[in-house]
């Protein structure tokens, strides 16, 4: 029997093998992500200023560029045990169907009620809010996985949860909305007339289908205007990438048990949390010169922040009430088309991933929607999991790379993140099957409109 045949279809870790610490990739980065700036003063945000929006402990994590490992509190680890460790799957069936010599693995994060990786950070952020003695939290959600995850975490800890859901997702995904309400959250379509910034956006863009940037603005306004509330974010921020590192840490432990070394690591990229979480420990090895990997971020061609955006300071939200972050961005005024990967419909990219991309440690590809759904269907038919549209961006490029190996005869090992399930995305699958799905690619003129609204920040920053 060869070593290869000993690798099981699913590799599960024991609970005792779960990480007890998150890994902070910033500690190993020579060029740290640029600091968040106060939009009024253009000076780096202080812990005190950030504390008006975020929980105190999360502010510490956001600003920590030095500590390589940060302890996961026991209460969070106990919650993780409900659905972790998550399986690392060898895609034997897909390999056979493709007739490729490549070895394909995926880390499956959809085996919880929220349907995605988002719960990894939701419970952490809710825990710190509860620990601080707060009444509740506010947030935004695109496809709904983050809102679902946060509502689950808040119900577990008896916290109030207020969710602003991107309007087109609110309408396309009523069942996701009802799961949130089942867990006790209040859910409002964004932009709404319940906030000042929502009313302003509606006045400027009547009939808009919304964006994550709009929903963030509304959530921040409510959090800062209510005593005992803070805002929490499901992606983009340093702290969220930190919490999601549990994905990569588990993956690396599982691979090390079988002496598996990935050549290519692929993840879908919207705000960057799942990709950042998956690649973190592997990227750490690359940054320390211990190993080399090819990292690929996959984004929708309709919202191409890495592949066609600019690296600049920008507002994290459409209403321009949040701090400025240096990132690859399409401009906070960019309203993406209502494509079906709601979780990837964000104008910017995580400052951590933006810095790594800018420094040449990873590459990015933009893929069109219909090709993504073709890959999703192909995967579902042979691997038995209906993938989320977001995750399917990673599947598309994993299949592309496996087919290249078929041409060259190379036996590369490909790892990708299967971030969630698509059972609430059937409107999108229906449009694909009925031939009603279109591929929207913004023109250079469309993008220029977003770039024109970038804030003027001195270059030395």
């Amino acid at each position: 029997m060869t070593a290869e045949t000993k690798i099981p279809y699913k590799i599960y870790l024991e609970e005792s093998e779960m990480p007890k610490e998150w890994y902070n990739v910033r500690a190993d980065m020579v060029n740290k992500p640029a600091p968040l700036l106060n939009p009024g003063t253009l000076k780096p945000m202080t812990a005190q200023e950030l504390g008006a929006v975020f929980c105190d402990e999360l502010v510490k994590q956001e600003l920590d560029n030095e500590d390589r490992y940060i302890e996961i509190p026991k209460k969070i680890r106990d919650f993780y045990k409900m659905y972790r460790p998550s399986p690392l799957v060898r895609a034997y069936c897909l390999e056979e169907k493709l007739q490729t010599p490549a070895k394909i693995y995926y880390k499956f994060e959809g085996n919880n009620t929220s349907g995605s990786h988002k719960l990894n950070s939701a419970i952490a952020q809710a825990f710190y809010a509860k620990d601080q003695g707060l009444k509740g939290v506010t947030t935004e959600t695109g496809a709904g996985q983050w809102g679902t995850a946060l509502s689950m975490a808040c119900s577990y800890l008896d916290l109030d949860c207020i969710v602003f859901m991107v309007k087109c997702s609110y309408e396309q995904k009523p069942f996701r909305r009802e799961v949130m309400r089942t867990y006790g959250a209040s859910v409002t379509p964004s932009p709404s007339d319940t906030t000042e910034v929502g009313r302003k956006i509606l006045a400027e863009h009547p009939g808009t289908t919304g964006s994550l940037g709009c929903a963030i603005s509304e959530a921040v306004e409510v959090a800062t205007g209510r005593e005992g509330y803070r805002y929490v974010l499901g992606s983009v921020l340093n702290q969220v990438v930190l919490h999601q590192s549990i994905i990569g840490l588990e993956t690396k432990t599982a691979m090390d048990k079988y002496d598996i070394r990935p050549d290519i690591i692929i993840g879908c990229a919207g705000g960057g949390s799942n990709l950042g979480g998956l690649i973190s420990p592997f990227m750490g090895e690359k940054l320390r010169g211990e190993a080399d990997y090819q990292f690929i971020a996959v984004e929708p061609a309709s919202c191409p922040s890495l592949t066609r955006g600019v690296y600049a300071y920008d507002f994290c939200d459409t209403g321009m009430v949040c701090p400025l972050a240096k990132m690859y961005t399409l401009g906070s005024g960019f309203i993406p088309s209502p494509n079906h990967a709601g979780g990837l419909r964000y104008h910017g990219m995580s400052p951590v991933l933006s810095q790594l991309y800018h420094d040449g440690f990873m590459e990015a590809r933009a893929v069109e929607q219909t090709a993504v759904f073709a890959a999703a269907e192909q995967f579902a038919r042979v691997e038995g999991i209906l993938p989320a549209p977001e995750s399917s961006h990673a599947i598309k490029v994993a299949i592309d790379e496996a087919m290249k190996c078929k041409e060259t005869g190379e036996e590369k090992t490909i790892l990708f993140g299967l971030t969630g399930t698509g059972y609430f995305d059937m409107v999108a699958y229906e449009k694909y099957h009925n031939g009603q799905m279109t591929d929207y690619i913004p023109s250079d003129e469309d993008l220029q409109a977003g770039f024109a609204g970038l804030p003027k920040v001195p270059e030395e920053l």
Side-chain angles (χ1 to χ4, degrees):
M1 186 183 280
T2 65
E4 185 180 329
T5 58
K6 292 180 185 172
I7 296 171
Y9 185 84
K10 283 191 176 76
I11 302 173
Y12 281 104
L13 301 179
E14 299 290 334
E15 282 183 5
S16 60
E17 295 175 291
M18 283 174 61
K20 292 183 172 60
E21 298 168 308
W22 292 301
Y23 165 64
N24 181 10
V25 72
R26 285 168 283 155
D28 286 313
M29 292 170 65
V30 174
N31 296 327
K32 311 295 186 189
L36 295 171
L37 298 185
N38 181 311
T41 65
L42 298 184
K43 296 276 195 304
M45 293 285 285
T46 64
Q48 186 176 4
E49 287 171 329
L50 287 170
V53 180
F54 303 110
C55 305
D56 296 343
E57 192 61 34
L58 293 170
V59 170
K60 280 188 205 167
Q61 292 177 1
E62 185 65 28
L63 299 175
D64 188 339
N65 282 337
E66 309 306 324
D67 291 318
R68 186 174 283 153
Y69 290 100
I70 294 172
E71 184 184 354
I72 305 174
K74 185 176 182 302
K75 184 139 190 174
I76 297 174
R77 284 191 280 122
D78 288 344
F79 183 90
Y80 279 164
K81 286 176 185 173
M82 280 199 274
Y83 65 101
R84 306 205 71 86
S86 69
L88 176 68
V89 185
R90 172 74 183 270
Y92 281 115
C93 300
L94 182 61
E95 290 171 17
E96 187 178 346
K97 188 75 173 175
L98 298 176
Q99 290 290 290
T100 176
K103 300 169 184 69
I104 307 172
Y105 293 85
Y106 57 90
K107 180 68 162 168
F108 181 45
E109 290 291 311
N111 54 343
N112 64 76
T113 301
S114 76
S116 80
H117 67 292
K118 296 288 190 180
L119 202 50
N120 301 329
S121 186
I123 186 59
Q125 297 192 53
F127 168 81
Y128 291 123
K130 183 74 173 179
D131 203 46
Q132 195 173 317
L134 298 175
K135 294 177 192 170
V137 292
T138 71
T139 198
E140 79 299 322
T141 194
Q145 281 103 332
W146 168 246
T148 305
L150 188 66
S151 65
M152 289 175 69
C154 287
S155 67
Y156 182 76
L157 294 167
D158 294 319
L159 278 171
D160 188 24
C161 182
I162 299 171
V163 181
F164 287 90
M165 187 172 185
V166 176
K167 188 175 285 177
C168 65
S169 289
Y170 183 93
E171 292 163 356
Q172 288 170 358
K173 296 175 179 142
F175 299 137
R176 190 91 69 187
R177 178 183 76 220
E178 291 313 309
V179 175
M180 289 183 248
R181 291 175 64 193
T182 299
Y183 281 100
S186 72
V187 189
T188 304
S190 172
S192 74
D193 59 7
T194 65
T195 66
E196 195 175 315
V197 71
R199 290 188 288 273
K200 183 168 177 263
I201 291 167
L202 284 171
E204 289 174 10
H205 305 277
T208 177
T209 53
S211 71
L212 282 169
C214 299
I216 290 170
S217 299
E218 294 201 89
V220 169
E221 180 182 317
V222 172
T224 53
R226 286 194 193 186
E227 186 69 33
Y229 282 75
R230 291 294 185 280
Y231 168 69
V232 294
L233 182 65
S235 191
V236 183
L237 293 173
N238 298 337
Q239 49 179 288
V240 186
V241 174
L242 172 74
H243 303 151
Q244 294 298 352
S245 68
I246 193 166
I247 303 171
L249 292 164
E250 280 188 8
T251 303
K252 189 158 189 338
T253 300
M255 289 191 139
D256 287 349
K257 282 179 84 162
Y258 288 89
D259 293 322
I260 305 162
R261 189 192 161 282
D263 297 296
I264 308 170
I265 304 175
I266 303 165
C268 62
S273 68
N274 85 84
L275 175 65
L278 176 65
I279 69 174
S280 276
F282 299 98
M283 181 62 79
E285 287 187 326
K286 182 164 182 162
L287 292 168
R288 296 189 299 270
E290 298 166 5
D292 194 19
Y293 305 98
Q294 181 184 4
F295 300 103
I296 306 174
V298 190
E299 60 187 8
S302 62
C303 197
S305 55
L306 284 173
T307 52
R308 296 177 67 196
V310 295
Y311 191 38
Y313 268 107
D314 193 13
F315 289 96
C316 294
D317 63 316
T318 308
M320 303 182 184
V321 296
C322 285
L324 301 177
K326 189 171 186 184
M327 57 186 175
Y328 276 87
T329 179
L330 299 171
S332 64
F334 178 78
I335 304 279
S337 74
N339 84 10
H340 294 286
L344 305 184
R345 197 162 37 229
Y346 184 62
H347 65 273
M349 186 59 63
S350 149
V352 171
L353 291 182
S354 291
Q355 187 69 58
L356 290 168
Y357 178 67
H358 189 69
D359 290 343
F361 289 106
M362 53 185 266
E363 61 188 88
R365 295 186 197 165
V367 289
E368 295 175 12
Q369 187 168 230
T370 51
V372 165
F373 273 83
E377 188 175 84
Q378 186 176 12
F379 179 86
R381 289 180 179 182
V382 292
E383 284 293 322
I385 296 171
L386 186 74
E390 294 81 6
S391 315
S392 302
H393 287 67
I395 294 172
K396 163 76 172 82
V397 171
I399 290 174
D400 288 348
E401 290 300 315
M403 295 309 286
K404 283 183 193 172
C405 289
K406 185 176 181 177
E407 290 173 17
T408 64
E410 293 173 286
E411 295 184 17
K412 287 186 178 178
T413 298
I414 300 167
L415 165 66
F416 72 89
L418 183 56
T419 54
T421 53
Y423 298 108
F424 289 140
D425 298 291
M426 298 322 295
V427 168
Y429 276 96
E430 179 185 34
K431 288 199 170 168
Y432 172 70
H433 293 141
N434 290 345
Q436 297 168 324
M437 184 174 282
T438 57
D439 289 318
Y440 168 75
I441 300 176
S443 66
D444 290 343
E445 288 75 20
D446 292 336
L447 296 182
Q448 206 51 51
F451 300 149
L454 287 172
K456 302 288 184 282
V457 175
E459 280 189 24
E460 60 270 19
L461 292 170

